[in-house]
Amino acid sequence: MTLLLGRQARLRWLHLIIGGALLMPHFLVGTVIVGTYNRDGGAFTSLPLQLTAFGYALPMAAVTGLFPLARPLSVAAVRALCGVPAERLADGPARTRQARVRTAGWFTLHLALGAVISGMTLALTPFAVTVMTLPFLSSVRNSAVLDLPRALTRPWVLALAPFAGLAMLVALAGCAAAAGALLAGRAPVLLGPTPDDRLAAAERRAADLAVRNRLARELHDSVGHALSAVTLQAGAARRVLDSDPEFVREALTAIEETTRRTVGELDSVLGLLRQGDEREDGPTGPALDALDGLLARCGVPVSYIARVDPGTVPAAVSREAYRIVQEGLSNALRHGGRAAPVELRIAVCDKELEITLDNPLPGRAPVVRPGGGRGLRGIAERAVLLGGRAEAGPHDDRWRLTARLPLHIPAQEKR
């Protein structure tokens, strides 16, 4: 009985009733068409005419199913009432011809079976109940409206009438369960994702992953640089706490400024995460015009030579250039310490922004921050995303980082 009257069976029955209701406007149009050439009466006067009107209604239902929004509405109903797992059904409107044809096939099948089961439910249920009451209500047996044949009033027929009525109801439930199971089985085939849908979903996942990776780079470069600078400045201040109070005061001031700036940048990146995507004008953040402040509080002596006007550099390139310089200084600070002088040169060469950062090779094993090691990889990723390139490695007795970023980038990369 669970298969016939369980919760799932009842929900699928309701789904079929909805399909019958959706077919009704098309069926009424079909009856009007039948009435135009049947002068003896409308479509409701005989079963053949009703079937003819039903035949006219199905093509109209198929045309309705071709509209793009038919698929999301059908998918929502199937997920709620038919017990089909959500991952087996497509999301969004049907955009391609294949998806629309499949949706139209599903829509027509749903409405056709729904109309049949709805008609059976409306006609057979009261009839079966009436048959079941024949042995108990003489008013029903003698009703002029029913006008029962004399054979149906015999005692043995009346004794079997309740069982006959119950069998009709069970048969109705069985037909509804079979139709519901048929729809549930066809739903993944007709409403499931097409190859184009799978490709679009993969592209959306790739775009989401790209956004997450970009935000992860922002967090790594901003917070990682700040933590490295603060850690080294605090360590240096601790070592000279008793002998050089003035240096300790400067170090604490630099730590305060660095953390304040980093909190602001962190709020900006977290705001993008809360939005679920980047704003249309792309991620905001410091650019080359804020480079002087970065160099003043980076924690290492920097010799800076600039042969470019920051105002002439595109915003996307300027932001990435700032992050590349920031990560390069962070690497120099981690590996060379506060006393290692850094040479920074930024210039325009062959329509490219060229960034060169030199610092002495460490005379001892570098102190690597736990969980680090992604700085140079992040620099390379930033350069490649803009169509540029970056490389780093020993050069004579120094460590050299070079990045070249094109000044004219594709419009989709400016975000």
Side-chain angles (χ1 to χ4, degrees), residues 23 85 106 121 136 204 237 261 287 303 327 394 401:
L23 186 70
W106 160 265
T121 301
F136 311 105
R204 288 194 298 270
R261 171 181 51 83
S303 173
E327 184 58 34
L401 167 66

Side-chain angles (χ1 to χ4, degrees), residues 142-217:
N142 300 326
S143 173
V145 177
L146 294 179
D147 192 18
L148 297 176
R150 183 176 297 275
L152 294 181
T153 61
R154 295 177 180 177
W156 68 271
V157 174
L158 294 178
L160 295 177
F163 301 99
L166 181 61
M168 294 178 193
L169 294 178
V170 172
L172 173 60
C175 292
L182 175 61
L183 285 179
R186 292 294 89 192
V189 177
L190 298 177
L191 295 179
T194 64
D196 291 330
D197 293 325
R198 294 189 179 94
L199 178 59
E203 290 176 347
R204 288 194 298 270
R205 287 193 296 269
D208 292 340
L209 183 60
V211 171
R212 291 175 57 188
N213 287 340
R214 183 175 299 182
L215 295 177
R217 284 195 303 271

Side-chain angles (χ1 to χ4, degrees), residues 275-344:
Q275 293 174 11
D277 201 345
E278 298 180 66
R279 293 187 290 271
E280 292 185 359
D281 57 351
T284 60
L288 287 179
D289 54 3
L291 200 56
D292 291 338
L294 174 65
L295 300 181
R297 56 180 176 266
C298 68
V300 294
V302 180
S303 173
Y304 177 36
I305 300 176
R307 294 189 177 94
V308 61
D309 180 7
T312 63
V313 179
V317 178
S318 185
R319 286 192 299 266
E320 299 301 329
Y322 178 94
R323 292 303 188 191
I324 289 174
V325 172
Q326 184 183 53
E327 184 58 34
L329 293 174
S330 180
N331 285 335
L333 185 62
R334 284 199 300 269
H335 300 320
R338 292 179 53 87
V342 176
E343 295 180 4
L344 173 64

Side-chain angles (χ1 to χ4, degrees), residues 66-379:
L66 292 174
F67 288 93
L69 290 180
R71 187 171 73 172
L73 295 176
S74 298
V75 167
V78 170
R79 285 175 175 169
L81 301 176
C82 290
V84 179
E87 62 271 11
R88 301 187 63 187
L89 301 174
D91 291 320
R95 300 297 185 186
T96 64
R97 178 183 300 178
Q98 179 185 10
R100 291 183 181 181
V101 170
R102 290 167 59 179
T103 304
W106 160 265
F107 195 73
T108 306
L109 179 64
H110 177 207
L111 269 60
L113 291 178
V116 172
I117 298 300
S118 297
M120 292 175 61
T121 301
L122 292 174
L124 192 58
T125 301
F127 179 74
V129 172
T130 300
V131 170
M132 294 174 67
T133 61
L134 288 178
F136 311 105
L137 298 175
S138 58
S139 59
V140 175
R141 294 194 301 270
N142 300 326
S143 173
V145 177
L146 294 179
D147 192 18
L148 297 176
R150 183 176 297 275
L152 294 181
T153 61
R154 295 177 180 177
W156 68 271
V157 174
L158 294 178
L160 295 177
F163 301 99
L166 181 61
M168 294 178 193
L169 294 178
V170 172
L172 173 60
C175 292
L182 175 61
L183 285 179
R186 292 294 89 192
V189 177
L190 298 177
L191 295 179
T194 64
D196 291 330
D197 293 325
R198 294 189 179 94
L199 178 59
E203 290 176 347
R204 288 194 298 270
R205 287 193 296 269
D208 292 340
L209 183 60
V211 171
R212 291 175 57 188
N213 287 340
R214 183 175 299 182
L215 295 177
R217 284 195 303 271
E218 294 291 329
L219 285 173
H220 173 272
D221 291 352
S222 177
V223 179
H225 170 80
L227 290 177
S228 296
V230 167
T231 300
L232 290 173
Q233 289 167 343
R238 178 180 55 83
R239 286 192 295 269
V240 298
L241 180 61
D242 297 326
S243 60
D244 194 348
E246 183 62 28
F247 175 80
V248 174
R249 186 177 297 107
E250 293 177 358
L252 291 176
T253 301
I255 290 173
E256 181 184 2
E257 293 176 353
T258 300
T259 53
R260 184 183 296 111
R261 171 181 51 83
T262 305
V263 168
E265 295 180 7
L266 182 61
D267 287 342
S268 176
V269 176
L270 292 180
L272 296 177
L273 287 174
R274 285 191 293 267
Q275 293 174 11
D277 201 345
E278 298 180 66
R279 293 187 290 271
E280 292 185 359
D281 57 351
T284 60
L288 287 179
D289 54 3
L291 200 56
D292 291 338
L294 174 65
L295 300 181
R297 56 180 176 266
C298 68
V300 294
V302 180
S303 173
Y304 177 36
I305 300 176
R307 294 189 177 94
V308 61
D309 180 7
T312 63
V313 179
V317 178
S318 185
R319 286 192 299 266
E320 299 301 329
Y322 178 94
R323 292 303 188 191
I324 289 174
V325 172
Q326 184 183 53
E327 184 58 34
L329 293 174
S330 180
N331 285 335
L333 185 62
R334 284 199 300 269
H335 300 320
R338 292 179 53 87
V342 176
E343 295 180 4
L344 173 64
R345 296 181 297 276
I346 300 179
V348 174
C349 181
D350 296 331
K351 297 183 180 180
E352 289 182 331
L353 184 69
E354 184 178 72
I355 303 170
T356 305
L357 194 146
D358 283 329
N359 61 279
L361 287 171
R364 53 182 173 81
V367 179
V368 180
R369 174 170 47 87
R374 296 185 54 87
L376 296 179
R377 183 186 304 176
I379 290 174

